[in-house]
């Protein structure tokens, strides 16, 4: 096979202090205004949007696309905090392709990985630095930062996976993670229609 420019090995450097890597190809920010619909307390979210619209998480991205493969790397850094008592979390999504899993590796902070199927099977992994989770195909996934420091995780997946957010926007996850006197508590999601 004749190698193309993109077929040569590449590495990037992870900074454990900052919780990011370089070089990256793109970076996206998610603020309260991007996520307000995911939190139970819409008034608390609206007040935060008016009051500076704080950053909730960032995603650093690199697509290691070659002429025959589509491996992607994403590092997500979730700031600590709550919105109406509910801990900061990612939006959460399903993979569009039904045969596409993902690996998540928590490298900093503490929290939970929530996973749920369309049929309503729900699982949560408690995370601290060093936890590696396998998300099987067809399980929606969301990460919640319950600590007082940023939570950072590395994601590895194929671009063929695709992302679908609608079912999560529509129904949320079965359980919410709430701060009660400084401790995370799981509560049924009462907004489920
Ligand atoms: C992609 C992977 C992550 C998330 C990121 C943000 O498959 O799961 O890179 O995109 O953690 O979460 P979300 O739910 O806003 O895409
Ligand atoms: Zn994913």
């Amino acid at each position: 096979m004749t190698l193309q420019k993109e077929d040569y090995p590449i590495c990037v450097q992870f900074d454990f202090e900052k919780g990011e890597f370089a070089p990256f190809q793109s970076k996206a920010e998610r603020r309260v205004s991007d996520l307000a619909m995911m939190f139970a307390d819409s008034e608390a979210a609206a007040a935060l949007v008016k009051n500076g619209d704080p950053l909730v998480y960032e995603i650093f991205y690199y697509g290691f696309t070659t002429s025959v493969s589509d491996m992607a790397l994403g590092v997500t850094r979730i700031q600590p905090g709550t919105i109406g008592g509910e801990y900061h979390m990612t939006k959460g999504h399903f993979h569009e392709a039904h045969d596409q899993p993902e690996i998540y590796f928590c490298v900093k902070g503490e929290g939970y990985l929530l996973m749920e199927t369309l049929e309503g099977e729900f699982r949560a992994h408690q995370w601290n630095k060093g936890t590696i989770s396998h998300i099987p195909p067809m399980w929606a996934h969301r990460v919640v930062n319950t600590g007082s420091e940023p939570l950072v995780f590395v994601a590895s997946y194929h671009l063929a996976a695709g992302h679908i957010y609608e079912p999560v926007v529509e129904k949320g996850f079965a359980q919410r993670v709430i701060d009660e006197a400084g401790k995370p508590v799981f509560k049924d999601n009462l907004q489920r229609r």
Side-chain angles (χ1 to χ4, degrees), residues 93 95 102 104 141 163:
H93 59 267
H95 290 167
E102 183 157 6
Y104 274 2
H141 35 292
H163 296 87

Side-chain angles (χ1 to χ4, degrees), residues 30 57 59 74 76 90-93 95 102 104 141 153 155 157 163 165:
R30 299 282 179 262
Y57 61 99
I59 310 147
T76 305
T90 60
K91 196 168 181 182
H93 59 267
H95 290 167
E102 183 157 6
Y104 274 2
H141 35 292
F153 66 95
Y157 58 101
H163 296 87
Y165 291 89

Side-chain angles (χ1 to χ4, degrees), residues 116-128:
E116 188 171 354
T117 68
L118 271 180
E119 293 73 32
E121 282 276 352
F122 177 84
R123 292 287 185 280
H125 289 172
Q126 188 169 10
W127 271 14
N128 52 44

